[in-house]
Coordinates of all heavy atoms in Angstrom, one line a residue:
L140 N 48.6 264.7 52.4 CA 47.3 264.2 52.0 C 46.3 265.3 51.8 O 46.5 266.4 52.4 CB 46.8 263.1 53.0 CG 47.7 261.9 53.3 CD1 47.1 261.1 54.4 CD2 47.8 261.1 52.0
S141 N 45.3 265.0 51.1 CA 44.2 266.0 51.0 C 43.4 265.9 52.3 O 43.6 265.1 53.1 CB 43.3 265.6 49.8 OG 42.6 264.4 50.1
T142 N 42.5 266.9 52.5 CA 41.7 267.0 53.7 C 40.8 265.7 53.8 O 40.8 265.1 54.9 CB 40.8 268.2 53.7 OG1 41.6 269.4 53.6 CG2 39.9 268.3 54.9
L143 N 40.2 265.3 52.8 CA 39.4 264.1 52.8 C 40.2 262.9 53.2 O 39.8 262.1 54.1 CB 38.7 263.8 51.4 CG 38.1 262.5 51.2 CD1 36.9 262.3 52.2 CD2 37.6 262.3 49.8
E144 N 41.3 262.7 52.6 CA 42.2 261.5 52.9 C 42.7 261.6 54.4 O 42.7 260.6 55.1 CB 43.4 261.5 52.0 CG 43.0 261.2 50.5 CD 44.2 261.4 49.6 OE1 44.7 262.6 49.5 OE2 44.6 260.5 49.0
S145 N 43.1 262.8 54.8 CA 43.6 262.9 56.2 C 42.5 262.5 57.2 O 42.7 261.8 58.2 CB 44.0 264.3 56.4 OG 45.1 264.7 55.6
V146 N 41.3 263.1 57.0 CA 40.2 262.8 57.9 C 39.8 261.3 57.9 O 39.6 260.7 58.9 CB 39.0 263.7 57.6 CG1 37.7 263.2 58.4 CG2 39.3 265.1 57.9
A147 N 39.7 260.8 56.7 CA 39.3 259.4 56.5 C 40.3 258.4 57.3 O 39.9 257.5 58.0 CB 39.3 259.0 55.0
R148 N 41.6 258.7 57.2 CA 42.6 257.8 57.8 C 42.5 258.1 59.3 O 42.6 257.1 60.1 CB 44.0 258.1 57.3 CG 45.0 257.1 57.8 CD 46.3 257.3 57.2 NE 46.3 257.2 55.8 CZ 47.3 257.5 55.0 NH1 48.5 257.8 55.6 NH2 47.2 257.4 53.7
A149 N 42.4 259.3 59.7 CA 42.4 259.7 61.2 C 41.2 259.0 61.9 O 41.4 258.4 62.9 CB 42.3 261.2 61.4
I150 N 40.0 259.0 61.3 CA 38.8 258.4 61.9 C 39.0 256.9 61.9 O 38.7 256.2 62.9 CB 37.6 258.8 61.2 CG1 37.3 260.3 61.3 CG2 36.4 258.0 61.7 CD1 36.0 260.8 60.6
Q151 N 39.5 256.3 60.8 CA 39.7 254.9 60.7 C 40.6 254.4 61.9 O 40.4 253.5 62.6 CB 40.3 254.5 59.4 CG 40.7 253.0 59.4 CD 41.2 252.6 58.0 OE1 40.4 252.3 57.1 NE2 42.5 252.5 57.8
E152 N 41.7 255.2 62.1 CA 42.7 254.8 63.1 C 42.2 255.1 64.5 O 42.4 254.3 65.4 CB 44.0 255.5 62.9 CG 44.7 255.1 61.6 CD 46.1 255.7 61.4 OE1 46.5 256.5 62.3 OE2 46.8 255.3 60.5
M153 N 41.5 256.2 64.7 CA 41.0 256.5 66.0 C 39.8 255.7 66.5 O 39.7 255.3 67.7 CB 40.6 258.0 66.1 CG 41.8 259.0 66.0 SD 41.3 260.7 65.7 CE 40.5 261.1 67.3
E154 N 39.0 255.3 65.5 CA 37.8 254.5 65.9 C 38.0 253.0 65.6 O 37.1 252.2 65.9 CB 36.6 255.0 65.1 CG 36.1 256.4 65.5 CD 34.8 256.7 64.9 OE1 34.0 255.8 64.5 OE2 34.5 257.9 64.8
K155 N 39.2 252.6 65.1 CA 39.5 251.2 64.8 C 38.5 250.6 63.9 O 38.1 249.5 64.0 CB 39.6 250.4 66.1 CG 40.2 251.1 67.3 CD 41.6 251.7 67.1 CE 42.1 252.5 68.3 NZ 43.4 253.2 68.0
L156 N 38.2 251.3 62.8 CA 37.3 250.9 61.8 C 38.0 250.5 60.5 O 38.2 251.3 59.6 CB 36.3 252.0 61.5 CG 35.4 252.5 62.6 CD1 34.6 253.7 62.2 CD2 34.5 251.3 63.0
D157 N 38.4 249.2 60.4 CA 39.1 248.7 59.2 C 38.3 248.9 58.0 O 37.1 248.6 58.0 CB 39.5 247.2 59.4 CG 40.5 247.0 60.5 OD1 41.2 248.0 60.8 OD2 40.6 245.9 61.0
G158 N 38.9 249.4 56.9 CA 38.2 249.6 55.6 C 37.5 250.9 55.4 O 37.1 251.2 54.3
L159 N 37.4 251.7 56.5 CA 36.7 253.0 56.4 C 37.4 253.9 55.4 O 36.7 254.6 54.6 CB 36.6 253.7 57.7 CG 35.9 255.0 57.7 CD1 34.4 254.9 57.5 CD2 36.1 255.8 59.0
E160 N 38.7 254.0 55.5 CA 39.4 254.9 54.6 C 39.1 254.7 53.1 O 38.9 255.6 52.4 CB 40.9 254.8 54.9 CG 41.8 255.8 54.1 CD 43.3 255.6 54.3 OE1 43.6 254.7 55.1 OE2 44.0 256.3 53.7
E161 N 39.2 253.4 52.7 CA 39.0 253.1 51.3 C 37.6 253.5 50.9 O 37.4 254.0 49.8 CB 39.2 251.6 51.1 CG 40.6 251.1 51.2 CD 41.5 251.8 50.1 OE1 41.0 252.1 49.0 OE2 42.7 252.0 50.4
K162 N 36.6 253.3 51.7 CA 35.2 253.7 51.4 C 35.1 255.2 51.2 O 34.4 255.7 50.3 CB 34.3 253.1 52.4 CG 34.1 251.6 52.5 CD 33.2 251.2 53.6 CE 33.2 249.7 53.8 NZ 32.4 249.3 54.9
M163 N 35.7 255.9 52.1 CA 35.6 257.4 52.1 C 36.3 258.0 50.9 O 35.9 259.0 50.4 CB 36.1 258.0 53.4 CG 35.2 257.7 54.6 SD 35.7 258.6 56.1 CE 35.4 260.3 55.6
I164 N 37.5 257.4 50.5 CA 38.2 258.0 49.4 C 37.8 257.5 48.0 O 38.3 258.0 47.0 CB 39.8 257.9 49.6 CG1 40.2 256.4 49.4 CG2 40.2 258.4 50.9 CD1 41.7 256.2 49.4
A165 N 36.9 256.6 48.0 CA 36.5 256.0 46.7 C 35.9 257.1 45.7 O 36.3 257.1 44.6 CB 35.4 254.9 46.9
P166 N 35.1 258.0 46.2 CA 34.6 259.1 45.3 C 35.8 260.0 44.9 O 35.7 260.5 43.7 CB 33.7 259.9 46.2 CG 33.2 258.9 47.2 CD 34.4 258.1 47.5
L167 N 36.8 260.2 45.7 CA 37.9 261.0 45.3 C 38.7 260.4 44.2 O 39.1 261.0 43.2 CB 38.9 261.3 46.5 CG 40.2 262.0 46.2 CD1 39.9 263.4 45.6 CD2 41.1 262.1 47.4

Side-chain angles (χ1 to χ4, degrees):
L140 301 174
S141 67
T142 300
L143 169 61
E144 293 170 299
S145 298
V146 170
R148 188 177 304 173
I150 293 179
Q151 174 174 280
E152 294 185 355
M153 292 170 65
E154 295 192 20
K155 320 306 176 189
L156 297 173
D157 292 340
L159 177 73
E160 180 183 3
E161 287 299 329
K162 293 176 183 177
M163 287 185 69
I164 68 172
L167 175 60

